């Protein structure tokens, strides 16, 4: 047994914090850390955002929780705002990304069922995907390292190589219900599907009466510079899972769907105790107040360009450390030549926090409210970290 009372499932960095302000965390060691991980793209408006704090505190003084047995006006209001701002007609609130994915898959299966096709229950997914850690979500993600030791993989998921649309087309059979993908794979290493691929998938779904499900848990709510990443392509899904940034740090998530896609989700068919809880809804509405305000997403795009150009210059300076810079908006990936963990540790020594991803990529996913000064500081620290790694390579080569 390890020394901790916690499950040993996380490899934690030896850091702990006292409080946060904007894009900064203050450590228990009194040091200030520039946080370009933002709780893995969750703290979309940074720490201690006054509008979010006020919304949470105000709701906390009324009641924290109500059952979905009753009307929850803030829930209705948030759903209406999400519907007004997206392709969707209907919303179901949950607590986590994996639950939103489960809800999305259930919605697709029920659609086929009420359409007279109970045999259609399979979902096609793409290698490198990450959809969460529930039994269905690890089956959908298809990664051996997350499936190992958890019994037979949940039935109903078929996987094709990343962006292999021909393979997806070949795999469509009489039991296929849906195609599920992240428009930009997040944990998989910031790997975007080209717009042309999303268009082809949309056509395939239309042709075969399948539901197109986008997992925008990581890419959504302004992260890429659009409200949702799929807007860059002009392709809309039938169903979408949203989480991470939507609560600004309060755990909440949602399934969005067209009325047609949601038609099987009738009374009593699905449920949740905590989903859509008033505290969560207050936070979600407060996040939308900011993210949907005039010019906010333009600012995200402007700052993203500043950051991407700065990173590209550092990549040119240290080609022995960094291979390239990828991503959209403030969902950026540094593809490393050295192990990404090596650069991550070097950045931590500079008190810049980043998040590792697959494909040997380090993610830089700051708060959407990050300032120009924060970005310049992060670039300075990135340059210093890359320089230290490069110097250690030179020593090792001697
Ligand atoms: C984080 C993530 C999930 C899982 O969300 P949880 O809240 O951890 O369950 C699912 N899909 C994507 C794309 C994610 O980034």
């Amino acid at each position: 047994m390890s020394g901790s009372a916690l499950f040993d499932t996380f490899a934690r960095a030896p850091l702990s914090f006292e409080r946060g302000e904007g894009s900064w965390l203050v450590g228990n060691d009194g040091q200030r850390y520039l946080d370009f991980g933002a709780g893995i793209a969750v703290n979309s408006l940074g720490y201690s955002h006054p509008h979010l704090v006020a919304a949470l505190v105000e709701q906390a003084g009324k009641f924290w929780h109500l059952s979905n047995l009753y009307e929850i006006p803030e829930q209705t209001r948030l759903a209406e705002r999400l519907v007004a701002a997206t392709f969707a007609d209907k919303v179901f609130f949950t607590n986590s990304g994996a639950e939103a994915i489960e809800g999305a898959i259930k919605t697709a299966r029920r659609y086929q069922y009420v359409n007279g096709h109970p045999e259609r229950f399979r979902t096609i997914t793409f290698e490198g995907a990450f959809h969460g850690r529930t039994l269905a979500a690890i089956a959908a993600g298809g990664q051996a390292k997350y499936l190992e030791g958890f019994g037979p993989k949940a039935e109903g998921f078929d996987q094709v190589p990343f962006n292999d649309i021909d393979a997806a087309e070949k795999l469509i059979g009489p039991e296929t219900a849906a195609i599920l993908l992240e428009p930009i794979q997040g944990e998989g290493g910031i790997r975007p599907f080209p717009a042309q691929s999303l268009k082809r998938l949309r056509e395939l779904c239309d042709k075969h009466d399948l539901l197109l499900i986008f997992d925008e848990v990581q890419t959504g709510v302004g992260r890429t510079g659009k409200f949702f990443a799929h807007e860059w392509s002009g392709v809309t899904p039938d169903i979408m899972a949203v989480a991470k940034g939507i609560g600004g740090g309060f755990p909440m998530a949602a399934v969005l769907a067209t009325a047609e896609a949601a038609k099987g989700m009738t009374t009593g068919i699905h449920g949740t105790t905590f989903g859509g809880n008033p505290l969560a809804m207050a936070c979600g509405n407060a996040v939308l107040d900011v993210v949907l305000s005039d010019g906010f997403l333009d600012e995200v795009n402007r700052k993203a360009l500043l950051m991407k150009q700065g990173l590209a210059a550092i990549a040119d300076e240290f080609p022995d450390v960094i291979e390239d810079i990828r991503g959209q908006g403030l969902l950026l990936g540094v593809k490393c030549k050295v192990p990404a963990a090596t650069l991550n540790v070097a950045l931590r020594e500079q008190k810049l926090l980043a998040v590792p991803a697959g494909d040997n990529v380090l993610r830089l996913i700051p708060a959407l409210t990050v300032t120009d000064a924060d970005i310049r500081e992060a670039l300075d620290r990135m340059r210093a970290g890359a320089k230290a790694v490069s110097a250690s390579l030179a020593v090792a080569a001697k």
Side-chain angles (χ1 to χ4, degrees), residues 40 95-99 101 130-133 182 184 186-187 215-219 243-244 363:
I40 317 190
N95 310 290
S96 68
E99 269 179 284
I101 287 293
F130 181 79
H131 298 299
R133 298 294 199 112
E182 304 152 78
I184 303 172
E187 308 295 313
D215 178 346
E216 291 235 25
V217 167
Q218 190 159 158
T219 52
K244 291 203 164 84
R363 271 175 289 180

